[in-house]
Short mmCIF file of all heavy atoms in Angstrom, two decimals:
data_model
loop_
_atom_site.label_atom_id
_atom_site.label_comp_id
_atom_site.label_asym_id
_atom_site.label_seq_id
_atom_site.Cartn_x
_atom_site.Cartn_y
_atom_site.Cartn_z
N MET A 94 21.97 27.88 12.61
CA MET A 94 21.73 27.32 13.92
C MET A 94 20.54 26.35 13.93
O MET A 94 20.54 25.42 14.66
CB MET A 94 21.52 28.47 14.92
CG MET A 94 21.45 28.00 16.34
SD MET A 94 23.02 27.31 16.84
CE MET A 94 22.73 26.97 18.50
N ASP A 95 19.54 26.66 13.07
CA ASP A 95 18.38 25.75 13.03
C ASP A 95 18.78 24.38 12.53
O ASP A 95 18.20 23.38 12.96
CB ASP A 95 17.28 26.32 12.15
CG ASP A 95 16.48 27.42 12.86
OD1 ASP A 95 16.57 27.46 14.11
OD2 ASP A 95 15.77 28.17 12.17
N PHE A 96 19.73 24.30 11.62
CA PHE A 96 20.22 23.01 11.13
C PHE A 96 20.78 22.17 12.25
O PHE A 96 20.48 20.97 12.36
CB PHE A 96 21.23 23.22 10.01
CG PHE A 96 21.75 21.93 9.46
CD1 PHE A 96 20.96 21.12 8.65
CD2 PHE A 96 23.04 21.47 9.76
CE1 PHE A 96 21.42 19.94 8.13
CE2 PHE A 96 23.51 20.28 9.25
CZ PHE A 96 22.69 19.52 8.45
N VAL A 97 21.56 22.79 13.11
CA VAL A 97 22.15 22.08 14.28
C VAL A 97 21.03 21.64 15.23
O VAL A 97 21.07 20.49 15.71
CB VAL A 97 23.17 22.97 15.00
CG1 VAL A 97 23.66 22.31 16.26
CG2 VAL A 97 24.31 23.30 14.09
N ARG A 98 20.04 22.47 15.43
CA ARG A 98 18.91 22.12 16.32
C ARG A 98 18.12 20.94 15.77
O ARG A 98 17.66 20.08 16.51
CB ARG A 98 18.02 23.30 16.57
CG ARG A 98 18.64 24.29 17.50
CD ARG A 98 17.66 25.39 17.82
NE ARG A 98 18.30 26.39 18.67
CZ ARG A 98 18.01 27.66 18.65
NH1 ARG A 98 17.10 28.12 17.83
NH2 ARG A 98 18.65 28.49 19.43
N ILE A 99 17.96 20.90 14.44
CA ILE A 99 17.23 19.80 13.83
C ILE A 99 18.01 18.50 13.97
O ILE A 99 17.43 17.47 14.28
CB ILE A 99 16.90 20.11 12.36
CG1 ILE A 99 15.81 21.19 12.31
CG2 ILE A 99 16.41 18.87 11.61
CD1 ILE A 99 15.47 21.69 10.95
N ILE A 100 19.33 18.55 13.84
CA ILE A 100 20.15 17.35 14.02
C ILE A 100 20.03 16.87 15.48
O ILE A 100 19.87 15.70 15.76
CB ILE A 100 21.62 17.62 13.66
CG1 ILE A 100 21.72 17.96 12.15
CG2 ILE A 100 22.51 16.45 14.01
CD1 ILE A 100 21.30 16.86 11.24
N ILE A 101 20.09 17.81 16.41
CA ILE A 101 19.94 17.46 17.83
C ILE A 101 18.54 16.88 18.07
O ILE A 101 18.40 15.94 18.85
CB ILE A 101 20.20 18.70 18.73
CG1 ILE A 101 21.68 19.06 18.65
CG2 ILE A 101 19.78 18.44 20.19
CD1 ILE A 101 22.04 20.37 19.32
N ALA A 102 17.54 17.48 17.44
CA ALA A 102 16.17 16.97 17.61
C ALA A 102 15.99 15.54 17.09
O ALA A 102 15.20 14.79 17.62
CB ALA A 102 15.18 17.90 16.90
N ILE A 103 16.75 15.20 16.08
CA ILE A 103 16.65 13.81 15.56
C ILE A 103 17.33 12.85 16.54
O ILE A 103 16.82 11.75 16.76
CB ILE A 103 17.27 13.72 14.15
CG1 ILE A 103 16.38 14.50 13.16
CG2 ILE A 103 17.46 12.30 13.70
CD1 ILE A 103 16.97 14.68 11.79
N LEU A 104 18.41 13.27 17.13
CA LEU A 104 19.14 12.41 18.06
C LEU A 104 18.49 12.37 19.42
O LEU A 104 18.30 11.29 19.99
CB LEU A 104 20.61 12.87 18.18
CG LEU A 104 21.41 12.83 16.90
CD1 LEU A 104 22.78 13.46 17.13
CD2 LEU A 104 21.53 11.41 16.38
N LEU A 105 18.16 13.53 19.97
CA LEU A 105 17.51 13.63 21.30
C LEU A 105 16.38 14.69 21.20
O LEU A 105 16.64 15.87 21.42
CB LEU A 105 18.53 14.08 22.35
CG LEU A 105 19.65 13.08 22.67
CD1 LEU A 105 20.72 13.76 23.50
CD2 LEU A 105 19.08 11.89 23.40
N PRO A 106 15.17 14.26 20.86
CA PRO A 106 14.10 15.21 20.61
C PRO A 106 13.82 16.17 21.79
O PRO A 106 13.70 17.38 21.51
CB PRO A 106 12.88 14.30 20.36
CG PRO A 106 13.45 13.01 19.88
CD PRO A 106 14.78 12.89 20.57
N PRO A 107 13.78 15.76 23.03
CA PRO A 107 13.52 16.74 24.11
C PRO A 107 14.60 17.81 24.20
O PRO A 107 14.27 18.96 24.50
CB PRO A 107 13.47 15.90 25.37
CG PRO A 107 13.08 14.55 24.91
CD PRO A 107 13.72 14.37 23.58
N LEU A 108 15.84 17.46 23.94
CA LEU A 108 16.90 18.43 23.99
C LEU A 108 16.74 19.49 22.89
O LEU A 108 16.95 20.69 23.12
CB LEU A 108 18.28 17.78 23.89
CG LEU A 108 19.49 18.72 23.93
CD1 LEU A 108 19.51 19.48 25.26
CD2 LEU A 108 20.75 17.92 23.75
N GLY A 109 16.34 19.07 21.73
CA GLY A 109 16.10 20.03 20.64
C GLY A 109 15.00 20.99 20.97
O GLY A 109 15.10 22.20 20.70
N VAL A 110 13.91 20.49 21.56
CA VAL A 110 12.82 21.36 21.96
C VAL A 110 13.23 22.27 23.08
O VAL A 110 12.89 23.46 23.10
CB VAL A 110 11.56 20.53 22.35
CG1 VAL A 110 10.46 21.41 22.91
CG2 VAL A 110 11.05 19.74 21.16
N PHE A 111 14.00 21.76 24.04
CA PHE A 111 14.46 22.58 25.16
C PHE A 111 15.30 23.74 24.68
O PHE A 111 15.17 24.87 25.15
CB PHE A 111 15.25 21.74 26.17
CG PHE A 111 15.93 22.56 27.22
CD1 PHE A 111 15.16 23.09 28.26
CD2 PHE A 111 17.27 22.81 27.21
CE1 PHE A 111 15.75 23.87 29.24
CE2 PHE A 111 17.89 23.56 28.18
CZ PHE A 111 17.12 24.08 29.21
N LEU A 112 16.21 23.50 23.71
CA LEU A 112 17.04 24.56 23.19
C LEU A 112 16.22 25.62 22.47
O LEU A 112 16.63 26.77 22.39
CB LEU A 112 18.09 23.97 22.22
CG LEU A 112 19.15 23.08 22.87
CD1 LEU A 112 20.04 22.51 21.78
CD2 LEU A 112 19.99 23.90 23.85
N GLN A 113 15.06 25.24 21.95
CA GLN A 113 14.21 26.20 21.22
C GLN A 113 13.29 26.98 22.12
O GLN A 113 13.16 28.18 21.99
CB GLN A 113 13.40 25.45 20.16
CG GLN A 113 12.64 26.33 19.23
CD GLN A 113 13.53 27.08 18.26
OE1 GLN A 113 14.63 26.61 17.93
NE2 GLN A 113 13.09 28.22 17.80
N VAL A 114 12.61 26.29 23.06
CA VAL A 114 11.57 26.96 23.88
C VAL A 114 11.81 26.93 25.39
O VAL A 114 11.09 27.59 26.11
CB VAL A 114 10.16 26.35 23.59
CG1 VAL A 114 9.79 26.55 22.14
CG2 VAL A 114 10.11 24.89 23.96
N GLY A 115 12.78 26.19 25.85
CA GLY A 115 13.01 26.12 27.29
C GLY A 115 12.04 25.13 27.94
O GLY A 115 11.48 24.25 27.32
N PHE A 116 11.83 25.33 29.26
CA PHE A 116 10.97 24.43 30.04
C PHE A 116 9.51 24.90 29.91
O PHE A 116 8.91 25.37 30.86
CB PHE A 116 11.34 24.41 31.52
CG PHE A 116 12.55 23.56 31.83
CD1 PHE A 116 13.72 24.14 32.29
CD2 PHE A 116 12.54 22.19 31.62
CE1 PHE A 116 14.82 23.40 32.59
CE2 PHE A 116 13.65 21.43 31.90
CZ PHE A 116 14.80 22.04 32.37
N GLY A 117 8.95 24.75 28.76
CA GLY A 117 7.56 25.13 28.54
C GLY A 117 6.68 23.89 28.35
O GLY A 117 7.13 22.76 28.52
N GLY A 118 5.47 24.15 27.98
CA GLY A 118 4.53 23.04 27.74
C GLY A 118 4.99 22.16 26.59
O GLY A 118 4.79 20.92 26.61
N ALA A 119 5.59 22.74 25.56
CA ALA A 119 6.04 21.97 24.40
C ALA A 119 7.16 21.00 24.81
O ALA A 119 7.23 19.88 24.27
CB ALA A 119 6.54 22.89 23.30
N PHE A 120 7.99 21.40 25.75
CA PHE A 120 9.07 20.54 26.21
C PHE A 120 8.49 19.26 26.90
O PHE A 120 8.89 18.16 26.60
CB PHE A 120 9.99 21.28 27.19
CG PHE A 120 11.01 20.42 27.86
CD1 PHE A 120 12.08 19.94 27.15
CD2 PHE A 120 10.86 20.05 29.19
CE1 PHE A 120 13.06 19.14 27.74
CE2 PHE A 120 11.83 19.26 29.79
CZ PHE A 120 12.91 18.81 29.09
N TRP A 121 7.54 19.49 27.79
CA TRP A 121 6.96 18.35 28.52
C TRP A 121 6.14 17.46 27.59
O TRP A 121 6.12 16.24 27.71
CB TRP A 121 6.14 18.83 29.70
CG TRP A 121 7.00 19.54 30.68
CD1 TRP A 121 7.02 20.87 30.96
CD2 TRP A 121 8.03 18.96 31.51
NE1 TRP A 121 7.98 21.16 31.88
CE2 TRP A 121 8.62 20.00 32.23
CE3 TRP A 121 8.51 17.67 31.69
CZ2 TRP A 121 9.65 19.78 33.14
CZ3 TRP A 121 9.53 17.46 32.59
CH2 TRP A 121 10.09 18.47 33.31
N LEU A 122 5.43 18.08 26.63
CA LEU A 122 4.68 17.29 25.64
C LEU A 122 5.67 16.44 24.81
O LEU A 122 5.38 15.28 24.51
CB LEU A 122 3.90 18.21 24.73
CG LEU A 122 3.15 17.53 23.59
CD1 LEU A 122 2.12 16.54 24.13
CD2 LEU A 122 2.48 18.58 22.69
N ASN A 123 6.81 16.99 24.47
CA ASN A 123 7.80 16.24 23.69
C ASN A 123 8.36 15.09 24.50
O ASN A 123 8.60 14.01 23.94
CB ASN A 123 8.91 17.16 23.21
CG ASN A 123 9.80 16.44 22.23
OD1 ASN A 123 10.80 15.87 22.60
ND2 ASN A 123 9.38 16.47 20.97
N ILE A 124 8.59 15.27 25.77
CA ILE A 124 9.07 14.18 26.59
C ILE A 124 8.04 13.04 26.60
O ILE A 124 8.37 11.85 26.45
CB ILE A 124 9.39 14.63 28.02
CG1 ILE A 124 10.70 15.44 28.00
CG2 ILE A 124 9.52 13.44 28.99
CD1 ILE A 124 11.14 15.90 29.33
N LEU A 125 6.78 13.39 26.75
CA LEU A 125 5.69 12.39 26.74
C LEU A 125 5.64 11.68 25.40
O LEU A 125 5.55 10.44 25.36
CB LEU A 125 4.35 13.05 27.05
CG LEU A 125 3.14 12.15 27.04
CD1 LEU A 125 3.24 11.12 28.16
CD2 LEU A 125 1.88 12.96 27.14
N LEU A 126 5.70 12.42 24.30
CA LEU A 126 5.65 11.81 22.99
C LEU A 126 6.87 10.91 22.74
O LEU A 126 6.76 9.87 22.12
CB LEU A 126 5.60 12.88 21.90
CG LEU A 126 4.25 13.61 21.79
CD1 LEU A 126 4.37 14.77 20.82
CD2 LEU A 126 3.15 12.67 21.33
N THR A 127 8.03 11.33 23.21
CA THR A 127 9.23 10.52 23.03
C THR A 127 9.15 9.23 23.84
O THR A 127 9.59 8.17 23.38
CB THR A 127 10.49 11.32 23.44
OG1 THR A 127 10.52 12.53 22.65
CG2 THR A 127 11.76 10.54 23.20
N LEU A 128 8.56 9.30 25.03
CA LEU A 128 8.40 8.08 25.83
C LEU A 128 7.38 7.13 25.18
O LEU A 128 7.53 5.89 25.29
CB LEU A 128 7.97 8.44 27.23
CG LEU A 128 9.03 9.10 28.10
CD1 LEU A 128 8.43 9.52 29.45
CD2 LEU A 128 10.23 8.19 28.33
N LEU A 129 6.36 7.68 24.54
CA LEU A 129 5.34 6.85 23.90
C LEU A 129 5.84 6.26 22.58
O LEU A 129 5.39 5.19 22.17
CB LEU A 129 4.08 7.65 23.64
CG LEU A 129 3.30 8.06 24.90
CD1 LEU A 129 2.14 8.97 24.54
CD2 LEU A 129 2.83 6.86 25.69
N GLY A 130 6.77 6.93 21.96
CA GLY A 130 7.37 6.44 20.71
C GLY A 130 8.38 7.45 20.22
O GLY A 130 8.14 8.63 20.25
N TYR A 131 9.50 6.95 19.77
CA TYR A 131 10.60 7.83 19.40
C TYR A 131 10.22 8.69 18.20
O TYR A 131 10.56 9.89 18.17
CB TYR A 131 11.81 6.95 19.13
CG TYR A 131 13.10 7.75 18.92
CD1 TYR A 131 13.65 8.44 19.97
CD2 TYR A 131 13.72 7.77 17.67
CE1 TYR A 131 14.83 9.15 19.78
CE2 TYR A 131 14.88 8.46 17.49
CZ TYR A 131 15.42 9.16 18.54
OH TYR A 131 16.58 9.86 18.37
N ILE A 132 9.55 8.14 17.23
CA ILE A 132 9.22 8.86 16.00
C ILE A 132 8.27 10.05 16.29
O ILE A 132 8.50 11.14 15.75
CB ILE A 132 8.63 7.91 14.93
CG1 ILE A 132 9.65 6.82 14.57
CG2 ILE A 132 8.18 8.69 13.70
CD1 ILE A 132 10.92 7.35 13.95
N PRO A 133 7.20 9.88 17.07
CA PRO A 133 6.37 11.05 17.37
C PRO A 133 7.14 12.17 18.05
O PRO A 133 6.89 13.35 17.82
CB PRO A 133 5.27 10.50 18.28
CG PRO A 133 5.19 9.07 17.96
CD PRO A 133 6.60 8.66 17.59
N GLY A 134 8.07 11.81 18.90
CA GLY A 134 8.93 12.82 19.54
C GLY A 134 9.78 13.58 18.52
O GLY A 134 9.93 14.81 18.65
N ILE A 135 10.31 12.88 17.55
CA ILE A 135 11.11 13.54 16.53
C ILE A 135 10.25 14.46 15.69
O ILE A 135 10.63 15.60 15.41
CB ILE A 135 11.83 12.48 15.64
CG1 ILE A 135 12.88 11.75 16.42
CG2 ILE A 135 12.46 13.16 14.39
CD1 ILE A 135 13.51 10.58 15.67
N VAL A 136 9.10 13.99 15.28
CA VAL A 136 8.20 14.79 14.45
C VAL A 136 7.80 16.07 15.20
O VAL A 136 7.85 17.16 14.62
CB VAL A 136 6.96 13.99 14.01
CG1 VAL A 136 5.94 14.88 13.36
CG2 VAL A 136 7.37 12.83 13.12
N HIS A 137 7.45 15.95 16.44
CA HIS A 137 7.06 17.10 17.23
C HIS A 137 8.21 18.07 17.40
O HIS A 137 8.04 19.28 17.27
CB HIS A 137 6.54 16.64 18.62
CG HIS A 137 6.11 17.78 19.49
ND1 HIS A 137 6.90 18.18 20.53
CD2 HIS A 137 5.06 18.58 19.46
CE1 HIS A 137 6.30 19.17 21.13
NE2 HIS A 137 5.18 19.47 20.49
N ALA A 138 9.40 17.56 17.66
CA ALA A 138 10.57 18.40 17.86
C ALA A 138 10.91 19.17 16.58
O ALA A 138 11.16 20.39 16.63
CB ALA A 138 11.77 17.59 18.31
N VAL A 139 10.91 18.52 15.46
CA VAL A 139 11.20 19.18 14.19
C VAL A 139 10.13 20.23 13.89
O VAL A 139 10.43 21.32 13.40
CB VAL A 139 11.35 18.18 13.05
CG1 VAL A 139 11.46 18.85 11.72
CG2 VAL A 139 12.58 17.30 13.30
N TYR A 140 8.88 19.90 14.17
CA TYR A 140 7.80 20.87 13.97
C TYR A 140 7.98 22.12 14.81
O TYR A 140 7.86 23.25 14.33
CB TYR A 140 6.44 20.21 14.29
CG TYR A 140 5.31 21.19 14.29
CD1 TYR A 140 4.80 21.71 13.08
CD2 TYR A 140 4.74 21.64 15.47
CE1 TYR A 140 3.77 22.61 13.08
CE2 TYR A 140 3.71 22.55 15.47
CZ TYR A 140 3.23 23.04 14.29
OH TYR A 140 2.17 23.93 14.26
N ILE A 141 8.34 21.95 16.08
CA ILE A 141 8.52 23.10 16.98
C ILE A 141 9.70 23.95 16.49
O ILE A 141 9.61 25.20 16.48
CB ILE A 141 8.79 22.61 18.44
CG1 ILE A 141 7.52 21.97 19.02
CG2 ILE A 141 9.27 23.74 19.31
CD1 ILE A 141 6.37 22.93 19.20
N ILE A 142 10.76 23.34 16.06
CA ILE A 142 11.94 24.06 15.59
C ILE A 142 11.62 24.78 14.28
O ILE A 142 11.99 25.94 14.12
CB ILE A 142 13.16 23.15 15.47
CG1 ILE A 142 13.59 22.68 16.87
CG2 ILE A 142 14.31 23.84 14.76
CD1 ILE A 142 14.61 21.58 16.84
N ALA A 143 10.94 24.12 13.40
CA ALA A 143 10.62 24.75 12.08
C ALA A 143 9.61 25.87 12.22
O ALA A 143 9.63 26.82 11.46
CB ALA A 143 10.11 23.68 11.11
N LYS A 144 8.69 25.75 13.20
CA LYS A 144 7.64 26.74 13.39
C LYS A 144 8.20 28.06 13.87
O LYS A 144 7.71 29.12 13.54
CB LYS A 144 6.61 26.20 14.36
CG LYS A 144 5.41 27.12 14.52
CD LYS A 144 4.37 26.48 15.42
CE LYS A 144 4.82 26.66 16.88
NZ LYS A 144 3.81 26.32 17.83
N ARG A 145 9.24 28.04 14.69
CA ARG A 145 9.77 29.27 15.31
C ARG A 145 10.95 29.80 14.56
O ARG A 145 11.81 29.35 14.17
CB ARG A 145 10.09 29.03 16.75
CG ARG A 145 8.84 28.67 17.49
CD ARG A 145 9.09 28.53 18.94
NE ARG A 145 7.89 28.00 19.57
CZ ARG A 145 7.37 28.46 20.66
NH1 ARG A 145 7.93 29.41 21.31
NH2 ARG A 145 6.27 27.93 21.15
#
C-alpha cells in the first residue's frame, strides 16, 4: 500500500499526505509547499509517507 501512496504523492502530493495522516498539520503544510513549488511538496509527501 505504501508503494501506491508514494505514486499518488508524486502525482498529487497533498492527496498522498491526506491518505496517510488526514486533515492534520502535515496536510496543510504540504498544500503550502506544493503551492510554493511542486518539488518541495513531493519531497515532503514522500517523507511523511516513508516516516510512518
Side-chain angles (χ1 to χ4, degrees):
M94 188 64 176
D95 282 343
F96 180 73
V97 173
R98 286 186 183 148
I99 289 175
I100 297 299
I101 292 171
I103 292 171
L104 298 174
L105 294 168
L108 180 60
V110 174
F111 172 75
L112 292 175
Q113 188 71 26
V114 298
F116 282 115
F120 172 74
W121 297 109
L122 176 61
N123 190 268
I124 286 182
L125 178 66
L126 288 171
T127 303
L128 289 175
L129 292 175
Y131 188 67
I132 299 298
I135 292 174
V136 171
H137 179 256
V139 171
Y140 172 75
I141 292 295
I142 293 170
K144 185 175 80 169
R145 298 185 187 225

